[in-house]
Amino acid sequence: MASNHPALLPFIESRQTRHAYIDRTQTLLSAFTPKDQDVTITLPNINTNDERRPTSTYIIRSPSSKELAVLLDPQQCNCRLSDTSSSSIKLMYRAAGNGEAPSMATWDVSSSLKDQVHNCCFGGQVIIGVLLDGPDAVVVDAKRKRMSNMIGISNNGLIQNSILEPGCAIHNNSEVSNTHVMKYAAIIGCGSLTCTEETVAKASKSCAFDMYNGSMDVEVGPEAGGGRVVTVNIESTLVDLCHALNIDSNGGTSAPLVQFDSTKTEGKEVVMNVLCPHSSILHTPQTNHVHLLPHSSIDSATSVASALLLPQSTIKNGCTVSHALLQWNATLTSQSDAHHVFLMERSEVGPHSFTANAIYGPDSHVSGGEVHCTIFGPNANSHHQSLLIGILWPLGRGNVGYGSNVGS
């Protein structure tokens, strides 16, 4: 059945939204190429409800001598460059109207820099976004009042090779590199937030992890060998997975399948962390190769590597995570370890759980147990030191608890 079935529209729209944000990152990366040239870029507006038009024009240019002096003055911004010969700083701000960019390209924004940027070290190529009082101001209402008080860039040990759009909040971090932070997104109190080509290549090699397509391979079945490798997509349904494993026979009828182009996407994936509007990474020592969709978060985790989070999903409270796909409202929490996992809508792992090579159906929950090489759920629970290994349980709707060992 075609993938335009009404029930599948949220999955299709999710993929389109993800790709639109990555396209935004690629467009801004192009501003790095003409190192000493001013660039004018038209981008879709992030919050269309707050805007009168669907797009805005941004000016990206090198700072004037006065603006650079303000940025480096210990009595004003008190910032510094890690290497004056190789560091390249550009300023980004929005034009008042799509036709106003030429006249605003020479505006002096040193007063906005002084208000919004403090005590940071910049290295490599960095785009620093600044808000202007009129054209690019943040809409302050009850919902965004707290965020409006945090907007700015301050007290960061090193920021390098990053795009910091106007209206983001980046404070008290040791290192932020190869990261794109959009308006209303926040990075606060973190250790190292990086994205390296080595990490991306390692993720691709170990489980075919592909951030652009939102896909990776998960091996389910016997741990000792002979398991089945299934390619999961962040927009997959449980029906899709059963179909891929050839366990979806139901009397000759077929439920709708989400069908995406699986061709290779060389040149489309960006080697950057991407934080979409209203997403956040807070108080996490180590983060590498992540993409957070709006309203998703990483909060007080121990380490996160190669993770894609759809809206309202979260990784928090001491978790160690690698190679993870989280659908809407999915949660990894409370000192849990998760590696090569796919959590579907409203599933939850934690507290104190260990899971690897596992797929969780919608509304499934594991707490205080272990799940390996398993398809678990939907509407299933595993708790109180229970252990599941090599289980294919696509129908779910059950409970495993109190020291049960299944498949071990």
mmCIF file of all heavy atoms in Angstrom, residues 165-192:
data_model
loop_
_atom_site.group_PDB
_atom_site.id
_atom_site.type_symbol
_atom_site.label_atom_id
_atom_site.label_comp_id
_atom_site.label_asym_id
_atom_site.label_seq_id
_atom_site.Cartn_x
_atom_site.Cartn_y
_atom_site.Cartn_z
ATOM 1 N N GLU A 165 23.177 30.710 15.774
ATOM 2 C CA GLU A 165 22.207 31.634 15.202
ATOM 3 C C GLU A 165 21.731 32.662 16.230
ATOM 4 O O GLU A 165 21.790 32.412 17.443
ATOM 5 C CB GLU A 165 21.009 30.858 14.645
ATOM 6 C CG GLU A 165 21.318 30.039 13.404
ATOM 7 C CD GLU A 165 20.059 29.663 12.634
ATOM 8 O OE1 GLU A 165 19.159 30.524 12.510
ATOM 9 O OE2 GLU A 165 19.977 28.516 12.154
ATOM 10 N N PRO A 166 21.258 33.804 15.771
ATOM 11 C CA PRO A 166 20.721 34.797 16.710
ATOM 12 C C PRO A 166 19.590 34.198 17.547
ATOM 13 O O PRO A 166 18.719 33.506 17.026
ATOM 14 C CB PRO A 166 20.185 35.902 15.784
ATOM 15 C CG PRO A 166 20.946 35.732 14.510
ATOM 16 C CD PRO A 166 21.199 34.264 14.370
ATOM 17 N N GLY A 167 19.639 34.454 18.850
ATOM 18 C CA GLY A 167 18.575 33.983 19.723
ATOM 19 C C GLY A 167 18.832 32.663 20.394
ATOM 20 O O GLY A 167 17.947 32.122 21.050
ATOM 21 N N CYS A 168 20.053 32.105 20.272
ATOM 22 C CA CYS A 168 20.366 30.866 20.981
ATOM 23 C C CYS A 168 20.972 31.200 22.344
ATOM 24 O O CYS A 168 21.304 32.356 22.637
ATOM 25 C CB CYS A 168 21.316 29.985 20.174
ATOM 26 S SG CYS A 168 22.962 30.700 19.923
ATOM 27 N N ALA A 169 21.117 30.185 23.194
ATOM 28 C CA ALA A 169 21.670 30.370 24.538
ATOM 29 C C ALA A 169 22.788 29.353 24.753
ATOM 30 O O ALA A 169 22.527 28.150 24.778
ATOM 31 C CB ALA A 169 20.580 30.194 25.594
ATOM 32 N N ILE A 170 24.022 29.838 24.910
ATOM 33 C CA ILE A 170 25.185 28.958 25.078
ATOM 34 C C ILE A 170 26.010 29.504 26.231
ATOM 35 O O ILE A 170 26.692 30.528 26.101
ATOM 36 C CB ILE A 170 26.025 28.884 23.792
ATOM 37 C CG1 ILE A 170 25.132 28.464 22.617
ATOM 38 C CG2 ILE A 170 27.173 27.905 23.947
ATOM 39 C CD1 ILE A 170 25.816 28.522 21.286
ATOM 40 N N HIS A 171 25.959 28.825 27.374
ATOM 41 C CA HIS A 171 26.581 29.360 28.578
ATOM 42 C C HIS A 171 27.312 28.266 29.366
ATOM 43 O O HIS A 171 26.828 27.124 29.475
ATOM 44 C CB HIS A 171 25.520 29.987 29.489
ATOM 45 C CG HIS A 171 24.683 31.034 28.831
ATOM 46 N ND1 HIS A 171 25.155 32.288 28.515
ATOM 47 C CD2 HIS A 171 23.389 31.017 28.422
ATOM 48 C CE1 HIS A 171 24.196 32.996 27.938
ATOM 49 N NE2 HIS A 171 23.105 32.239 27.870
ATOM 50 N N ASN A 172 28.470 28.621 29.891
ATOM 51 C CA ASN A 172 29.181 27.804 30.886
ATOM 52 C C ASN A 172 29.531 26.407 30.380
ATOM 53 O O ASN A 172 29.341 25.417 31.084
ATOM 54 C CB ASN A 172 28.356 27.705 32.177
ATOM 55 C CG ASN A 172 27.966 29.071 32.728
ATOM 56 O OD1 ASN A 172 28.784 29.988 32.746
ATOM 57 N ND2 ASN A 172 26.720 29.204 33.142
ATOM 58 N N ASN A 173 30.056 26.325 29.170
ATOM 59 C CA ASN A 173 30.473 25.042 28.600
ATOM 60 C C ASN A 173 31.987 25.010 28.430
ATOM 61 O O ASN A 173 32.622 26.041 28.199
ATOM 62 C CB ASN A 173 29.808 24.823 27.235
ATOM 63 C CG ASN A 173 28.294 24.934 27.309
ATOM 64 O OD1 ASN A 173 27.634 24.071 27.850
ATOM 65 N ND2 ASN A 173 27.751 26.027 26.767
ATOM 66 N N SER A 174 32.567 23.803 28.538
ATOM 67 C CA SER A 174 34.006 23.676 28.336
ATOM 68 C C SER A 174 34.371 23.766 26.855
ATOM 69 O O SER A 174 35.289 24.481 26.472
ATOM 70 C CB SER A 174 34.505 22.342 28.913
ATOM 71 O OG SER A 174 34.291 22.281 30.299
ATOM 72 N N GLU A 175 33.645 23.034 26.004
ATOM 73 C CA GLU A 175 33.948 23.038 24.569
ATOM 74 C C GLU A 175 32.686 22.804 23.763
ATOM 75 O O GLU A 175 31.902 21.895 24.041
ATOM 76 C CB GLU A 175 34.971 21.945 24.218
ATOM 77 C CG GLU A 175 35.292 21.875 22.731
ATOM 78 C CD GLU A 175 36.163 20.694 22.352
ATOM 79 O OE1 GLU A 175 36.464 19.868 23.233
ATOM 80 O OE2 GLU A 175 36.532 20.586 21.165
ATOM 81 N N VAL A 176 32.496 23.628 22.747
ATOM 82 C CA VAL A 176 31.422 23.452 21.764
ATOM 83 C C VAL A 176 32.070 23.539 20.389
ATOM 84 O O VAL A 176 32.597 24.595 20.023
ATOM 85 C CB VAL A 176 30.323 24.515 21.908
ATOM 86 C CG1 VAL A 176 29.273 24.341 20.813
ATOM 87 C CG2 VAL A 176 29.674 24.457 23.282
ATOM 88 N N SER A 177 32.081 22.437 19.663
ATOM 89 C CA SER A 177 32.710 22.458 18.343
ATOM 90 C C SER A 177 31.870 21.688 17.336
ATOM 91 O O SER A 177 31.147 20.762 17.702
ATOM 92 C CB SER A 177 34.124 21.868 18.407
ATOM 93 O OG SER A 177 34.096 20.506 18.753
ATOM 94 N N ASN A 178 31.951 22.114 16.079
ATOM 95 C CA ASN A 178 31.198 21.480 14.987
ATOM 96 C C ASN A 178 29.721 21.330 15.356
ATOM 97 O O ASN A 178 29.153 20.245 15.295
ATOM 98 C CB ASN A 178 31.803 20.121 14.640
ATOM 99 C CG ASN A 178 33.217 20.244 14.112
ATOM 100 O OD1 ASN A 178 33.481 20.989 13.177
ATOM 101 N ND2 ASN A 178 34.144 19.522 14.724
ATOM 102 N N THR A 179 29.125 22.451 15.732
ATOM 103 C CA THR A 179 27.746 22.429 16.226
ATOM 104 C C THR A 179 26.968 23.592 15.631
ATOM 105 O O THR A 179 27.474 24.714 15.549
ATOM 106 C CB THR A 179 27.726 22.520 17.770
ATOM 107 O OG1 THR A 179 28.414 21.393 18.320
ATOM 108 C CG2 THR A 179 26.297 22.529 18.294
ATOM 109 N N HIS A 180 25.732 23.306 15.217
ATOM 110 C CA HIS A 180 24.814 24.332 14.739
ATOM 111 C C HIS A 180 23.695 24.483 15.764
ATOM 112 O O HIS A 180 22.955 23.523 16.024
ATOM 113 C CB HIS A 180 24.243 23.933 13.364
ATOM 114 C CG HIS A 180 23.253 24.908 12.827
ATOM 115 N ND1 HIS A 180 22.397 24.608 11.780
ATOM 116 C CD2 HIS A 180 22.957 26.192 13.175
ATOM 117 C CE1 HIS A 180 21.637 25.652 11.520
ATOM 118 N NE2 HIS A 180 21.949 26.622 12.366
ATOM 119 N N VAL A 181 23.577 25.674 16.323
ATOM 120 C CA VAL A 181 22.575 25.945 17.355
ATOM 121 C C VAL A 181 21.603 26.983 16.801
ATOM 122 O O VAL A 181 21.987 28.116 16.499
ATOM 123 C CB VAL A 181 23.225 26.463 18.650
ATOM 124 C CG1 VAL A 181 22.193 26.487 19.781
ATOM 125 C CG2 VAL A 181 24.414 25.597 19.052
ATOM 126 N N MET A 182 20.341 26.610 16.691
ATOM 127 C CA MET A 182 19.337 27.497 16.108
ATOM 128 C C MET A 182 18.676 28.368 17.175
ATOM 129 O O MET A 182 18.893 28.197 18.368
ATOM 130 C CB MET A 182 18.285 26.673 15.355
ATOM 131 C CG MET A 182 18.877 25.832 14.239
ATOM 132 S SD MET A 182 17.627 24.940 13.275
ATOM 133 C CE MET A 182 18.670 23.800 12.367
ATOM 134 N N LYS A 183 17.888 29.309 16.718
ATOM 135 C CA LYS A 183 17.181 30.226 17.610
ATOM 136 C C LYS A 183 16.322 29.448 18.606
ATOM 137 O O LYS A 183 15.683 28.461 18.260
ATOM 138 C CB LYS A 183 16.301 31.158 16.776
ATOM 139 C CG LYS A 183 15.669 32.308 17.547
ATOM 140 C CD LYS A 183 14.908 33.211 16.589
ATOM 141 C CE LYS A 183 14.300 34.400 17.305
ATOM 142 N NZ LYS A 183 13.552 35.278 16.375
ATOM 143 N N TYR A 184 16.360 29.891 19.866
ATOM 144 C CA TYR A 184 15.626 29.295 20.990
ATOM 145 C C TYR A 184 16.251 27.987 21.485
ATOM 146 O O TYR A 184 15.736 27.375 22.418
ATOM 147 C CB TYR A 184 14.154 29.037 20.665
ATOM 148 C CG TYR A 184 13.358 30.256 20.292
ATOM 149 C CD1 TYR A 184 12.739 30.356 19.054
ATOM 150 C CD2 TYR A 184 13.193 31.310 21.186
ATOM 151 C CE1 TYR A 184 11.996 31.477 18.700
ATOM 152 C CE2 TYR A 184 12.459 32.432 20.847
ATOM 153 C CZ TYR A 184 11.858 32.513 19.601
ATOM 154 O OH TYR A 184 11.120 33.613 19.259
ATOM 155 N N ALA A 185 17.335 27.489 20.877
ATOM 156 C CA ALA A 185 18.000 26.280 21.373
ATOM 157 C C ALA A 185 19.031 26.677 22.425
ATOM 158 O O ALA A 185 19.516 27.810 22.459
ATOM 159 C CB ALA A 185 18.657 25.516 20.234
ATOM 160 N N ALA A 186 19.409 25.706 23.288
ATOM 161 C CA ALA A 186 20.292 26.029 24.410
ATOM 162 C C ALA A 186 21.312 24.925 24.660
ATOM 163 O O ALA A 186 21.000 23.733 24.562
ATOM 164 C CB ALA A 186 19.466 26.266 25.676
ATOM 165 N N ILE A 187 22.536 25.331 24.996
ATOM 166 C CA ILE A 187 23.592 24.435 25.491
ATOM 167 C C ILE A 187 24.131 25.087 26.759
ATOM 168 O O ILE A 187 24.730 26.171 26.698
ATOM 169 C CB ILE A 187 24.730 24.251 24.471
ATOM 170 C CG1 ILE A 187 24.183 23.777 23.122
ATOM 171 C CG2 ILE A 187 25.767 23.263 24.993
ATOM 172 C CD1 ILE A 187 25.226 23.796 22.011
ATOM 173 N N ILE A 188 23.935 24.455 27.906
ATOM 174 C CA ILE A 188 24.265 25.093 29.179
ATOM 175 C C ILE A 188 24.937 24.088 30.110
ATOM 176 O O ILE A 188 24.441 22.980 30.316
ATOM 177 C CB ILE A 188 22.996 25.674 29.848
ATOM 178 C CG1 ILE A 188 22.372 26.748 28.955
ATOM 179 C CG2 ILE A 188 23.329 26.260 31.224
ATOM 180 C CD1 ILE A 188 21.045 27.283 29.445
ATOM 181 N N GLY A 189 26.075 24.499 30.650
ATOM 182 C CA GLY A 189 26.735 23.721 31.687
ATOM 183 C C GLY A 189 27.277 22.386 31.244
ATOM 184 O O GLY A 189 27.347 21.447 32.043
ATOM 185 N N CYS A 190 27.709 22.265 29.987
ATOM 186 C CA CYS A 190 28.187 20.982 29.462
ATOM 187 C C CYS A 190 29.708 20.934 29.434
ATOM 188 O O CYS A 190 30.394 21.956 29.531
ATOM 189 C CB CYS A 190 27.631 20.743 28.052
ATOM 190 S SG CYS A 190 25.840 20.525 28.008
ATOM 191 N N GLY A 191 30.231 19.722 29.292
ATOM 192 C CA GLY A 191 31.665 19.529 29.144
ATOM 193 C C GLY A 191 32.077 19.697 27.703
ATOM 194 O O GLY A 191 32.274 20.801 27.216
ATOM 195 N N SER A 192 32.182 18.596 26.982
ATOM 196 C CA SER A 192 32.608 18.629 25.581
ATOM 197 C C SER A 192 31.443 18.250 24.676
ATOM 198 O O SER A 192 30.887 17.156 24.785
ATOM 199 C CB SER A 192 33.781 17.654 25.368
ATOM 200 O OG SER A 192 34.120 17.579 24.004
#
